[in-house]
Amino acid sequence: MTICVIGGGAAGLMAAGTAAENGAKVLLFEKNEKVGRKIFITGKGRCNVCNDCDTQTVLQNVPVNPRFLYSALGCFSPQEVKDFFESRGVPLKTERGNRVFPVSDKSSDIIDALFTWVKHVGVKIVQETVTDIRTQEGQASAVCAGGREYGCDRVIVATGGASYAATGSTGDGYRFAKALGHTIIPPNPSLVPLVAAGDTCSELMGLSLRNVRVTVFENDKKLYSDLGEMLFTHFGVSGPLILSASAHMRHFGSKAYRIEIDLKPGLDEKTLDKRLLTDFEKYKNSDFINALGELLPRKLIPVAIACAKIDPRQKVHSVTKEQRLGLVQLLKAFPLVITGARPLNEAIITTGGVSVKDVNPKTMESKKVQGLYFAGEVLDVDAYTGGFNLQIAWSTGRLAGLSAAQE
C-alpha cells in the first residue's frame, strides 16, 4: 500500500512514521527545505511537547469540538507521547502548568527525533509543493506535485492551518478539502496578540509585566483568569498570558470584550491600601508622581495616575482617602477595552478548518472521499496553550497513520 502524506509538521511526521511502521510505503511531501519548521518555533523555541495530564484534562482545554478527539486521544495519550520521545532519546521535564519540554530546552531535539524515526522506518521525503489531490470513483488516487502525479492508495492531509505562513502553513489543506466537497469553517486567529482601544497601550509600549493576573470579560461576564507575563505594544497587548486569554475571545463584532489586569495579585485591597499608606507617609511632602516608584514600574506611573484622575503635582499629604481607594481599585483591576485580535499571520494557531462533521473521528478518514484522511491543525479543532495543540497534532496524526495503513 502506498500512502502520500502532505505536510511535514507535527501531525504529518507522526502520521507518516506511524503508517510506515505499520507496513505502508510512505511518501511525505514537504515544501520547505526541512521538516518541522513550525515545531521549531513552538514554546519560544523550546517546544512544549504536550501536557502531563490525563485525556479528560486535555479535552477540558479544547474549546472547539473536544468530543471529536476521544478516539485520537485513546489511540495516543499524553503519557504515550512522552514515552514515544523519551524512548527515542529525548529526555523530558515537566514545568508549571504541567507543560512538558525537552530537558535540553531545544525544539530541534524533538524534530531530530522525528526525522531520524521517519527515515529509519522508510518514509521517503519529497521536497515539492502539492498542488492537487486526484480521486477516482470517490477514492483518493494520486497527489500532484512538482509537475508530476504520484499514484497512491491513501492520502493524509496534514498541512496545518493558516497561521505563521512563513513556516509553510498557507491554508493549502483548506483548498484541497473544499475542492473535494468538504465544508470549511472560516479560519480565524487564536493564541494571538490583542488590539486595545485608546492610547494607554501605546503609551506603555515595551513595558513587560510579570506575575500579574489578567481576567477576561465577555459582555461583563467573567470568562477566564490566569496569572503570568504580558507585554504592552503599540497596538495593544501580547505575551504568554494574553495569547492564552485570546483563545477565549471568539466573537469579536457580536460581543464586547475587556480585560482587567490585577497589577498586585499577591495583595488584597486592604493590604495594598496599607502598603500605599506606608509609601505615602514616606513621601508625604513630595509630588504624587514621585510617591509610587517603589510600587510600580516607572513607565506605568504617569499612566496609572492619569487613569486614577489624580493631579501628578498634587502633594502626597493632600491626597484624599477617596483618591487613594480609587487608586487601589485601579491597581487591582486596570481596565482595557479589547477591540479585536491581530491578523491570522501573527497567530500561533488557527481556529476553524475542515468541518469535523465531514471526518470519521474513529479513523480520521473523510466521510466524503474514501482513502482521504485529515490530521492536525487543518481540522476545526483547537486548544488553549500548554501543549494541548501539539497533543492534538500527535494524536490525530497517529490515528490517521494507523488507520490509513491498516484499512
Side-chain angles (χ1 to χ4, degrees), residues 128-141:
E128 295 285 359
T129 300
V130 173
T131 53
D132 197 14
I133 297 171
R134 296 278 164 87
T135 59
Q136 274 186 346
E137 297 173 3
Q139 166 91 30
S141 61

Side-chain angles (χ1 to χ4, degrees), residues 75-104:
C75 169
F76 205 43
S77 69
Q79 185 58 52
E80 287 168 312
V81 170
K82 287 174 63 186
D83 293 344
F84 174 89
F85 285 106
E86 294 205 303
S87 69
R88 284 165 181 80
V90 186
L92 302 173
K93 61 181 176 179
T94 302
E95 296 186 0
R96 187 180 70 83
N98 292 327
R99 290 167 160 85
V100 176
F101 294 91
V103 169
S104 64

Side-chain angles (χ1 to χ4, degrees), residues 197-249:
D199 302 323
T200 300
C201 293
S202 58
E203 288 172 28
L204 295 171
M205 184 173 71
L207 176 63
S208 179
L209 298 176
R210 288 185 168 199
N211 300 319
V212 294
R213 178 172 289 281
V214 165
T215 303
V216 176
F217 294 89
E218 180 186 83
N219 292 350
D220 292 327
K221 178 190 172 188
K222 183 176 169 180
L223 272 191
Y224 168 83
S225 186
D226 201 8
L227 208 66
E229 295 176 37
M230 61 168 289
L231 171 74
F232 289 97
T233 68
H234 66 284
F235 56 77
V237 281
S238 187
L241 198 49
I242 297 301
L243 299 183
S244 296
S246 73
H248 300 262
M249 303 182 189

Side-chain angles (χ1 to χ4, degrees), residues 113-379:
L114 287 165
F115 183 71
T116 302
W117 172 57
V118 297
K119 295 298 280 184
H120 176 72
V121 294
V123 173
K124 183 185 177 188
I125 296 174
V126 183
Q127 276 185 290
E128 295 285 359
T129 300
V130 173
T131 53
D132 197 14
I133 297 171
R134 296 278 164 87
T135 59
Q136 274 186 346
E137 297 173 3
Q139 166 91 30
S141 61
V143 158
C144 299
R148 277 187 62 189
E149 190 172 291
Y150 296 81
C152 59
D153 303 290
R154 309 274 187 267
V155 176
I156 300 174
V157 177
T159 48
S163 57
Y164 280 139
T167 64
S169 300
T170 49
D172 297 348
Y174 306 146
R175 185 168 51 80
F176 300 147
K178 192 173 183 181
L180 294 170
H182 300 80
T183 300
I184 305 300
I185 308 303
N188 281 299
S190 188
L191 306 185
V192 64
L194 297 170
V195 181
D199 302 323
T200 300
C201 293
S202 58
E203 288 172 28
L204 295 171
M205 184 173 71
L207 176 63
S208 179
L209 298 176
R210 288 185 168 199
N211 300 319
V212 294
R213 178 172 289 281
V214 165
T215 303
V216 176
F217 294 89
E218 180 186 83
N219 292 350
D220 292 327
K221 178 190 172 188
K222 183 176 169 180
L223 272 191
Y224 168 83
S225 186
D226 201 8
L227 208 66
E229 295 176 37
M230 61 168 289
L231 171 74
F232 289 97
T233 68
H234 66 284
F235 56 77
V237 281
S238 187
L241 198 49
I242 297 301
L243 299 183
S244 296
S246 73
H248 300 262
M249 303 182 189
R250 295 173 178 268
H251 305 287
F252 288 114
S254 61
K255 294 185 178 178
Y257 291 98
R258 75 176 198 278
I259 63 171
E260 288 181 357
I261 308 163
D262 184 347
L263 297 162
K264 297 290 170 184
L267 306 175
D268 60 22
E269 286 195 11
K270 197 174 178 181
T271 312
L272 181 56
D273 188 38
K274 279 183 185 173
R275 167 68 197 272
L276 273 178
L277 283 168
T278 303
D279 286 1
F280 283 10
E281 181 59 32
K282 196 172 178 180
Y283 296 99
K284 62 184 176 185
N285 295 318
S286 303
D287 290 350
F288 186 62
I289 197 165
N290 297 322
L292 299 176
E294 294 178 29
L295 189 69
L296 298 174
R298 192 174 62 193
K299 202 165 192 174
L300 186 56
I301 293 170
V303 176
I305 289 173
C307 290
K309 297 183 170 60
I310 299 172
D311 181 351
R313 295 298 162 198
Q314 182 177 341
K315 295 298 179 187
V316 174
H317 62 71
S318 69
V319 172
T320 66
K321 184 181 179 182
E322 286 70 25
Q323 286 177 314
R324 193 182 75 244
L325 293 178
L327 179 64
V328 168
Q329 287 170 359
L330 177 75
L331 299 182
K332 292 296 288 176
F334 191 87
L336 290 174
V337 173
I338 303 300
T339 57
R342 290 294 282 176
L344 198 51
N345 63 358
E346 292 181 35
I348 292 178
I349 61 158
T350 312
T351 181
V354 178
S355 172
V356 297
K357 291 178 182 173
D358 292 346
V359 180
N360 182 342
K362 292 182 177 173
T363 59
M364 297 294 131
E365 186 177 17
S366 164
K367 293 177 181 176
K368 305 273 184 180
V369 178
Q370 274 192 312
L372 177 67
Y373 297 77
F374 295 97
E377 201 181 330
V378 71
L379 290 159

